[in-house]
């Protein structure tokens, strides 16, 4: 109960519902070191869960049949109607999406009252929405008395986003959030859905999340469009190589010889090379080889800018500035179209920060979990 954010959720619950919450659920945000737009192509990613998180404090209702949810940071209370079929564009959508995905698995919590509080800035590319999905999944599963394994938590969170919220996101964010471990990044094979721990603390260096100044816009439609372009590339390669299932299976030669439009070809080139960079970066991280990490970050950023076209001038400028101010590695992180960059700098050699910057993040100590307040 010590953390300010947990206390805030607890206090807002008491003020809103006149009693103590019975359960507290918590899930961290994440930053992706490398492997961008590879997860939904069944490739590799290398994210780490961080020391910022989302908290859900709540209880079953006493007499009330309706469920209600409060967003402490917005000062708003909404009713949660699980039978809704259309998202309304508010925080309630996440709860409805998660409840529906749990319902598909036969997990049905009783009516509830709950409060969300968070110290993860939204629109920064730190996956505040997946963290919320995971915290809600843990909370609802507890209310229903159901045990749910981390991989299933991740799949429920992804289903909530894909089917209800309307973003066709991959497994990376909920997977790393549901499996977060202190001090580690996870190299995730997004086809096998298996994560391998990679130590992510580098002695003498800090990871920093620096904001581009552009809160992510257009992300949903552009993101879904990128997915469709990758599928177009796969379909073209499959004409000659029917065994191919995803861009994960495709070589650069196969993309070059396929009959394909230029846009889809460039998207595929990015994905194929980015998968290789994940493997190389994992090795470099294990050796604490910051020079190689710097080179791989630079290649990844250029590829996201020129081939995948998900960067923007403000992100490019922030990366250039961080490098000029002493970062040994810097690149945009997350889906793109604004949000943040990730920089690696020697202790004391800090790029200048602005008000929007998250600043130094460390590979979490905050494991996802749900606990009873009275224990
Ligand atoms: C978003 C999605 C992830 C992933 C990244 C891009 O964060 O939620 O699944 O596709 O974009 O790497």
């Amino acid at each position: 109960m010590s953390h300010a954010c947990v206390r805030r959720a607890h206090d807002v619950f008491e003020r809103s519902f006149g009693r103590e919450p019975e359960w507290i659920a918590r899930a961290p945000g994440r930053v992706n070191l490398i492997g961008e737009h590879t997860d939904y192509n069944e490739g590799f990613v290398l994210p780490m869960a961080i020391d910022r998180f989302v908290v859900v404090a709540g209880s079953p209702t006493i007499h009330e049949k309706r469920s209600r949810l409060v967003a402490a940071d917005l000062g708003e209370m909404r009713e949660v109607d699980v039978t809704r079929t259309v998202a309304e564009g508010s925080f309630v959508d996440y709860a409805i999406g998660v409840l529906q995905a749990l319902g598909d698995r036969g997990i049905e919590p009783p009516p509830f009252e709950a409060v969300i509080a968070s110290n993860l800035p939204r629109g920064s590319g730190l996956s505040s929405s997946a963290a919320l999905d995971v915290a809600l999944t843990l909370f609802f599963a507890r209310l229903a008395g159901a045990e749910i394994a981390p991989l299933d938590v991740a799949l429920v969170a992804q289903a909530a986003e894909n089917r209800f919220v309307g973003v066709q996101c991959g497994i990376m964010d909920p997977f790393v959030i549901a499996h977060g471990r202190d001090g580690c990044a996870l190299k995730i094979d997004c086809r096998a859905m298996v994560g391998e721990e990679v130590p992510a603390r580098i002695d003498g260096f800090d990871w920093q999340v620096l904001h581009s100044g552009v809160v992510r816009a257009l992300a949903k439609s552009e993101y879904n469009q990128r997915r469709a372009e990758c599928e177009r590339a796969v379909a073209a390669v499959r004409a000659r190589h029917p065994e191919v299932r995803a861009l994960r299976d495709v070589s650069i030669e196969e993309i070059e010889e396929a009959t394909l439009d230029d846009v889809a070809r460039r998207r595929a080139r990015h994905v194929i090379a980015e998968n290789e960079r994940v493997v190389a970066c994992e090795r470099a991280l294990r050796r604490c080889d910051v020079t190689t990490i710097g080179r791989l970050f630079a290649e990844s950023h250029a590829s996201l800018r020129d081939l995948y076209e998900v960067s923007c001038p403000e992100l490019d400028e922030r990366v250039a500035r961080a490098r000029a101010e002493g970062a040994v590695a810097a690149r945009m992180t997350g889906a793109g179209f604004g949000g943040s960059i990730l920089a690696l700098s020697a202790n004391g050699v800090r790029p200048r920060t602005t008000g929007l910057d998250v600043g130094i993040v460390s590979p979490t100590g905050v494991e996802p979990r749900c606990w009873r307040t009275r224990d």
Side-chain angles (χ1 to χ4, degrees):
M1 257 284 295
S2 60
H3 200 284
C5 188
V6 175
R7 261 198 318 277
R8 191 151 46 89
H10 189 279
D11 293 351
V12 172
F13 187 94
E14 278 186 337
R15 280 206 300 280
S16 308
F17 302 110
R19 62 203 159 102
E20 257 207 283
E22 209 176 313
W23 298 100
I24 305 279
R26 176 188 72 183
R30 68 94 186 91
V31 67
N32 190 17
L33 303 195
I34 201 160
E36 225 61 87
H37 292 278
T38 45
D39 61 348
Y40 53 82
N41 290 300
E42 301 190 12
F44 298 100
V45 290
L46 189 61
M48 69 183 182
I50 59 169
D51 54 342
R52 315 278 165 122
F53 48 90
V54 172
V55 172
V56 174
S59 298
T61 57
I62 298 174
H63 303 296
E64 183 63 57
K65 295 271 178 294
R66 293 171 308 166
S67 290
R68 286 178 301 167
L69 190 58
V70 174
D73 306 320
L74 305 175
E76 280 178 32
M77 182 188 287
R78 297 275 169 101
E79 192 174 324
V80 183
D81 175 5
V82 71
T83 62
R84 280 187 72 122
T85 49
V86 182
E88 66 172 42
S90 88
F91 60 93
V92 163
D93 296 344
Y94 298 95
I96 296 174
V98 168
L99 286 167
Q100 292 181 351
L102 284 170
D104 291 347
R105 292 167 177 251
I107 299 175
E108 289 182 359
F112 62 89
E113 284 153 349
V115 171
I116 304 163
S118 164
N119 57 19
L120 262 174
R122 276 168 298 140
S124 289
L126 295 180
S127 239
S128 56
S129 56
L132 176 57
D133 293 327
V134 168
L136 287 169
T137 303
L138 295 172
F139 169 63
F140 292 144
R142 268 311 163 89
L143 284 197
E147 286 295 324
I148 179 160
L151 178 58
D152 292 311
V153 170
L155 291 169
V156 164
Q158 186 192 19
E161 295 275 341
N162 289 176
R163 301 221 309 268
F164 195 72
V165 181
V167 182
Q168 295 309 310
C169 57
I171 195 69
M172 168 168 73
D173 306 340
F175 190 102
V176 68
I177 288 168
H179 291 83
R181 290 287 172 276
D182 190 19
C184 287
L186 274 189
K187 180 186 161 209
I188 306 169
D189 177 334
C190 298
R191 170 170 282 168
M193 302 240 186
V194 176
E196 193 185 330
E197 293 184 5
V198 184
R201 289 201 176 100
I202 306 181
D203 258 1
F205 289 84
D206 293 314
W207 296 107
Q208 265 193 301
V209 173
L210 306 169
H211 207 283
S212 63
V214 180
V215 175
R216 284 198 289 155
L218 273 180
K220 194 159 138 178
S221 58
E222 291 278 350
Y223 185 93
N224 294 347
Q225 189 187 326
R226 292 297 178 284
R227 275 197 83 136
E229 289 158 356
C230 290
E231 278 159 24
R232 207 155 74 219
V234 170
V237 175
R238 224 186 253 140
R240 286 202 199 174
H241 305 278
E243 71 288 357
V244 160
R245 274 174 44 196
L247 281 180
R248 155 83 170 262
D249 307 313
V250 176
S251 67
I252 283 288
E253 295 72 33
E254 285 162 351
I255 277 297
E256 299 311 336
E257 75 193 17
T259 309
L260 189 57
D261 62 283
D262 184 52
V263 169
R265 198 186 311 275
R266 279 186 286 131
R267 307 299 187 239
R269 282 187 193 140
H270 162 76
V271 171
I272 294 166
E274 185 80 352
N275 273 327
E276 289 167 8
R277 283 190 284 269
V278 173
V279 177
C281 193
E282 179 221 336
R283 293 204 195 105
L285 202 51
R286 288 187 190 282
R287 298 193 304 269
C288 296
D289 175 355
V290 296
T291 309
T292 302
I293 295 173
R295 177 177 55 76
L296 293 166
F297 271 36
E299 287 172 14
S300 173
H301 187 85
S303 175
L304 288 160
R305 182 190 60 213
D306 302 335
L307 298 178
Y308 220 70
E309 295 177 285
V310 292
S311 188
C312 60
E314 293 84 353
L315 278 169
D316 299 342
E317 205 275 319
R318 200 71 178 96
V319 165
R321 190 144 61 87
R323 294 292 309 229
E325 290 172 354
V328 292
R331 65 172 206 86
M332 58 154 275
T333 182
F337 316 105
S340 297
I341 71 157
L342 176 66
L344 180 67
S345 314
N347 302 150
V349 186
R350 299 262 157 75
R352 270 180 297 135
T353 51
T354 66
L356 278 173
D357 293 331
V358 175
I360 294 180
V361 292
S362 60
T364 190
V366 183
E367 294 189 5
R369 68 186 189 102
C370 184
W371 68 93
R372 206 186 263 283
T373 50
R374 294 285 169 114
D375 281 353

